Structure formats: structure tokens, C-alpha cells
Amino acid sequence: MSQEVNAQDELVARKERLQDLKDMGIDPFGSAYKRTHKVLNLINDWNEAEPKGEEATTNLGEYCIAGRIMNQRSMGKAAFGNLQDLTGSIQFYLRKDSVSEEEFLSFKKLYVGDIIGIKGTLFKTKKDELSVRVSELTILSCALRPLPEKFHGLTDKELRYRKRYLDLIVNEKARNTFITRSKLISSFRKTLDAQDYIEVETPVLHSIPGGAAARPFVTHHNALDMEFYMRIATELHLKRLLVGGLEKVYEIGRIFRNEGISQKHNPEFTTIELYEAYSDFEGMMDLTEELVTNSCMAAHGTLEVPYNGETLNFQRPWKRMRYLDAICELGNINPEDLKEYEKVQSICKERKVDVDPKMPIGKLYDALFEDIVEPTLFQPTFIYDYPKELSPLAKEIPDQPGMTFRFEATVAHMEIANAFSELNDPIDQLDRFQSQVADREQGDDEAHHLDMDYVESLEYAMPPAGGLGIGIDRLTMLLSDNNSIREVILFPHMKNKD
């Protein structure tokens, strides 16, 4: 008989037992249950009491816990099973003479996947396994479908992403990944709130997409009869708030970019962007280190974490390399050769770097950087002083024409943070926007749009400022030892099955 037939038979049996429970006066979908502890609390209490002797463990008293049955085995007048909640799993032991007759009979109707509450005391079995001796059983919710691992496991990635609820039930690593993500975000807020940052919310629908080089999603507002764009960044609205006098602001929110899907990219993702008046990109370097190390400690209690078979060390200070210096040093290139457009083109050709011959020199640099430098950056590293053509919102370095006060933080070959000394000269900003418009007219769909309202806001004077964006999904990948962004987004986008 096939596994599919077995699964269907169990589904039928699970549905039939609902009426049996109702006939016994038991609601198969229960009601509120008062828990006194979670599984981890029981384990910790026992570990603390056990060294003090049998009397200490006997005096622990009764516990009420609730969770999902993950396995069960009956032996006539007794039964064992495992109950799992968010904090862990523990064995329980139920005897016919230790609970009411109704409770024992109702337990016989239960399946793996059902949710129950149990009251009982702790003991160790002859096999030295910590267990709960059940004195009271409460049915809380009956599962109609069997858990996937009972028949064929849940290793298929597409199924895991489409049915994340099943993934969370049967895969401990998935649960821990999203706990890590939550700790990371909470740590960010704690660090920034302690420094008097204000958390704000800015629009998701923009009349002009801006703040990043990216292709937006387009939608239509019926009442206003106008097109809007899902935001590709929160930057320009947050910097308007600096003009308004809010000196330290941050926003944690969803960003939408109508681009490809890969291990490092999802069209909908989460960032934190923050801006601090009277700071600069060097101040943002220090803050980046603080935010990331604090979140690493919050998630793991250490700054050394495993990733992809190696160990990442987030200990401060991180390595720092100038953008063009890194290309020259790691690519064995003469710095003078990077000053001439034709020579840069020749270098790209020699290295078989695929570039458009019409690309400006800054984008040729970027192609070389991806080829030469990025593959070498595993430990946390700041790359700073970026080409102006790649940084239309960053301040230009006075003694380095064409370069800007900007850095990217790279870990495990991925960019996780991007920061500037923010451009606050409205005349320069307008010139750069107009240059970006020219790039769009030449076919660059990701070039910035002209946002005259933002330029006007700068004309009221924005203080010198540092700005920082950190990709929360990618940082979660690093702190949870996952190499795909889909593993750290609860419900990643998938193609329709049809």
C-alpha cells in the first residue's frame, strides 16, 4: 500500500474520531488553557535540582504545560509520548490509574500532531530520560492532517516555503532562525532608542520612486486616478525629517524592488534606515559595528558564529579598505591605470568582465570590484570612498573629484550595510538627479528619478548628516547560518504552481 493511501486513511480516521470525542463530552478544539511553565523551564528546574538529591527533585511540584504531540507509543495501560512547544520537547508518561477514565480513553483517540495540555510531575526513566508523569490531560486542538515527516519528511524546499507553518512545526532550525531574526530587530531598537533615536513610519506608496538605484513596482490609485510606486527605499522621506528638525530618526520596514530572485535577493525585503544630524559616514561605521555586534550578542551571546562551515568574527574594529585601493591591491592593477577610461575598459576586457561599452567609468569600477574584491570579503569589512556615479545621494570628497564619502559593509561576500555622509547641497543634488535622468533616457531603468520636492526640502537647509541602511534579511542569514534569503523570510514569494 502506498504512503499516499496510508496518509489518506489516517486523514479519514482523524476526522471520524472527532465525533467520538464529542460523544464523550469533549470539545476536540478546546478552549483557553492555563500554562504554568514552558518545556525549557522544566528542563532548567530539573537540572538545578538534580545535583541536590532525590528530595529536591521530588519537591519540584506539579507543572502545567501545553504543546503538540510529536510522537506517541501505547503499551496497554500505559503510554509514552513527546510534547513540543516553542522552547523544546519533553517526554510524557501516562498511566491508566494516574488519570481519569475519560482522560485515558480520550488519549487513545489522539494522534501525532494534536495539541494537548498536561499537568504532572517530573521524573527520570530507567533510560535516564527526563519525563512528565501525567496526572491530568486536556485536549486543546485535534489535527485533521498528519504531519509531513510521518510519511515523507519535509525536506523539499519549495514545500517548506509554501507551507511555512509545517516547516516551523517539524524543523527546529527554521524555528530558531526566526527567533534569531526577532532578537536581531529587538536589539536594533534597544541600541537606537538608548541613543535618543526616534522610530518613525514613512509612506509605502510613493508618487516618485527614489532613494536607491532599483526598478519599482507600479500600482494605480483609483480615487486619485494616478500611478504610485511601491517604495524602493525610505531614504528621501527620512531625510526630509532631518530638515524638519527630527535629528535622529530610523525606520524598520518593507522595501519592494521589481527585480530578480536569487539566494541573496527577494522582491520584498526588510531594511532599517537611519539618519543622524551632525554625524557623517565615519560615525555610521562606528554605529554599524555597534548595531551588529549588539545583535550578535543578543542572538548568540558571542561574537563568533558559524557560517557556511567557517567562523565569522564580529569583534570590533572591523577591517577597513578604500574602494579603489582594494581593486588595485587585490587585482594587481596600477592605480594610474584606473584614472583613464580606455585603460579601465581594457582591464575589464582582459579579465573577461562583461560590461556595456557605454558604461560610465564608475560602473566599470563596480564591475571590477564585483570580480576582484567581493569574492575575497568573508570577515566583516568596510569598503569606503565610492565613485560619485554610484552614489548620487552622498557627499563628494573635496580632494578626490568623482569620489564620495560612502561605505558598504560586507560580510561573507554579501553587502549588509550601506552608508553616506549625506549630500545636503540642493544645487549639487539637482545636478546629480538631472544626470540620473539622462542615464534613464539612455536606457538605465534603475537610475534615480528627479524628485523636485526633495530638492526643495534641501533648499530649507538640511544639517550635515550621516545615513545608514542595513539589510535585516541578509544579516539574519549570517546570524542563523543560512545561505538563502528565502530561509529567513517567513513567506517568500513563489511562482504559482500552475
Side-chain angles (χ1 to χ4, degrees):
M1 188 176 291
S2 70
Q3 292 177 339
E4 290 77 9
V5 171
N6 285 337
Q8 185 61 33
D9 288 346
E10 182 166 333
L11 177 60
V12 171
R14 284 173 179 246
K15 287 183 176 180
E16 289 176 347
R17 58 75 187 260
L18 297 182
Q19 189 58 50
D20 294 339
L21 290 171
K22 291 176 181 178
D23 292 342
M24 296 167 64
I26 298 171
D27 181 357
F29 299 103
S31 56
Y33 183 79
K34 182 69 173 178
R35 289 190 292 183
T36 61
H37 297 80
K38 294 183 180 180
V39 167
L40 184 60
N41 302 132
L42 275 63
I43 296 170
N44 290 340
D45 283 0
W46 183 271
N47 289 340
E48 184 178 337
E50 189 175 27
K52 300 174 184 177
E54 185 177 343
E55 184 178 351
T57 57
T58 303
N59 290 335
L60 287 175
E62 288 195 307
Y63 297 86
C64 292
I65 60 174
R68 192 180 298 272
I69 300 172
M70 297 307 292
N71 63 61
Q72 60 181 160
R73 47 209 181 278
S74 294
M75 301 173 293
K77 295 182 179 181
F80 282 95
N82 276 77
L83 181 143
Q84 174 183 289
D85 68 12
L86 183 61
T87 67
S89 175
I90 194 167
Q91 180 172 267
F92 62 86
Y93 174 62
L94 182 144
R95 287 183 56 87
K96 185 175 182 180
D97 58 6
S98 65
V99 296
S100 70
E101 182 178 0
E102 180 186 78
E103 288 171 348
F104 189 76
L105 291 174
S106 67
F107 180 78
K108 296 287 189 180
K109 301 288 183 182
L110 297 182
Y111 289 83
V112 169
D114 290 343
I115 297 174
I116 61 171
I118 56 176
K119 181 178 182 180
T121 55
L122 290 175
F123 74 104
K124 279 276 186 82
T125 66
K126 292 180 180 179
K127 294 183 178 181
D128 202 38
E129 183 170 358
L130 183 62
S131 306
V132 178
R133 183 179 284 108
V134 179
S135 61
E136 187 178 292
L137 170 76
T138 305
I139 295 175
L140 299 176
S141 188
C142 290
L144 295 184
R145 293 183 179 272
L147 294 181
E149 88 284 2
K150 184 174 175 65
F151 297 104
H152 51 75
L154 192 62
T155 57
D156 180 85
K157 286 187 177 181
E158 183 169 323
L159 181 60
R160 288 178 50 234
Y161 301 151
R162 290 186 188 278
K163 299 184 182 295
R164 182 67 85 182
Y165 48 90
L166 293 179
D167 186 30
L168 293 170
I169 291 172
V170 302
N171 290 330
E172 183 179 8
K173 183 175 181 181
R175 295 193 297 275
N176 289 337
T177 290
F178 293 103
I179 291 171
T180 295
R181 184 186 178 104
S182 177
K183 288 179 178 178
L184 184 163
I185 294 171
S186 294
S187 174
F188 276 8
R189 285 195 166 101
K190 184 177 180 180
T191 298
L192 293 173
D193 292 348
Q195 296 184 28
D196 298 324
Y197 273 81
I198 299 170
E199 184 172 9
V200 298
E201 293 177 305
T202 61
V204 172
L205 293 177
H206 290 182
S207 58
I208 299 173
R215 185 180 295 110
F217 288 95
V218 186
T219 187
H220 186 80
H221 190 288
N222 291 333
L224 295 177
D225 191 24
M226 61 183 290
E227 282 192 341
F228 279 90
Y229 303 87
M230 302 291 283
R231 68 183 179 194
I232 57 174
T234 53
E235 179 167 348
L236 299 188
H237 281 88
L238 290 174
K239 289 197 286 193
R240 285 174 170 94
L241 300 181
L242 294 186
V243 174
L246 300 184
E247 296 178 352
K248 292 182 174 184
V249 294
Y250 75 93
E251 180 171 11
I252 298 172
R254 287 295 213 194
I255 302 299
F256 308 87
R257 296 182 182 176
N258 195 357
E259 298 170 346
I261 295 175
S262 71
Q263 283 193 312
K264 298 179 183 179
H265 296 90
N266 195 67
E268 179 181 355
F269 59 98
T270 304
T271 67
I272 180 170
E273 281 200 48
L274 60 91
Y275 295 86
E276 180 175 341
Y278 313 114
S279 185
D280 61 10
F281 87 114
E282 290 183 339
M284 295 298 102
M285 278 192 189
D286 294 336
L287 184 56
T288 300
E289 289 179 335
E290 184 176 4
L291 286 166
V292 174
T293 55
N294 285 354
S295 65
C296 189
M297 289 298 296
H300 297 293
T302 177
L303 295 179
E304 292 188 5
V305 296
Y307 185 73
N308 212 22
E310 300 184 60
T311 299
L312 289 170
N313 188 342
F314 289 99
Q315 185 70 43
R316 302 172 71 178
W318 297 357
K319 184 178 181 180
R320 303 184 180 195
M321 300 176 71
R322 192 172 267 107
Y323 182 89
L324 290 182
D325 290 350
I327 294 174
C328 292
E329 179 184 333
L330 296 173
N332 195 26
I333 296 170
N334 186 332
E336 293 300 314
D337 289 345
L338 292 186
K339 295 179 181 180
E340 297 183 30
Y341 184 81
E342 290 76 13
K343 286 188 177 180
V344 176
Q345 281 186 318
S346 296
I347 293 169
C348 290
K349 187 175 182 180
E350 288 170 10
R351 299 188 64 90
K352 298 181 180 179
V353 176
D354 186 22
V355 294
D356 187 325
K358 297 179 182 179
M359 276 184 175
I361 195 167
K363 295 197 174 181
L364 295 179
Y365 290 156
D366 204 39
L368 287 173
F369 182 87
E370 288 183 13
D371 177 63
I372 296 170
V373 183
E374 210 170 81
T376 72
L377 303 178
F378 184 75
Q379 295 297 341
T381 305
F382 289 118
I383 303 293
Y384 64 99
D385 292 1
Y386 270 71
K388 180 178 177 179
E389 290 153 331
L390 304 177
S391 316
L393 298 167
K395 272 195 172 183
E396 190 168 14
I397 302 172
D399 60 352
Q400 294 184 51
M403 306 303 286
T404 63
F405 290 116
R406 172 189 174 188
F407 75 77
E408 288 188 0
T410 302
V411 185
H413 320 299
M414 291 190 296
E415 174 207 337
I416 63 162
N418 185 28
F420 312 147
S421 292
E422 298 297 332
L423 179 62
N424 60 342
D425 177 345
I427 299 171
D428 189 357
Q429 183 64 83
L430 179 57
D431 287 344
R432 295 201 205 178
F433 274 156
Q434 289 173 335
S435 176
Q436 291 282 305
V437 169
D439 288 345
R440 290 188 65 80
E441 291 172 350
Q442 293 296 317
D444 186 351
D445 292 339
E446 295 186 353
H448 289 242
H449 290 246
L450 173 57
D451 188 338
M452 283 305 301
D453 181 74
Y454 174 67
V455 174
E456 183 179 327
S457 74
L458 296 183
E459 292 173 349
Y460 287 92
M462 185 182 90
L468 168 66
I470 297 178
I472 286 176
D473 307 294
R474 289 187 177 183
L475 184 55
T476 303
M477 287 169 60
L478 297 172
L479 297 187
S480 61
D481 195 11
N482 283 295
N483 57 20
S484 171
I485 197 169
R486 293 185 175 193
E487 296 288 354
V488 302
I489 295 175
L490 278 168
F491 302 103
H493 295 288
M494 308 285 291
K495 261 189 174 182
N496 289 333
K497 280 187 174 182
D498 297 338

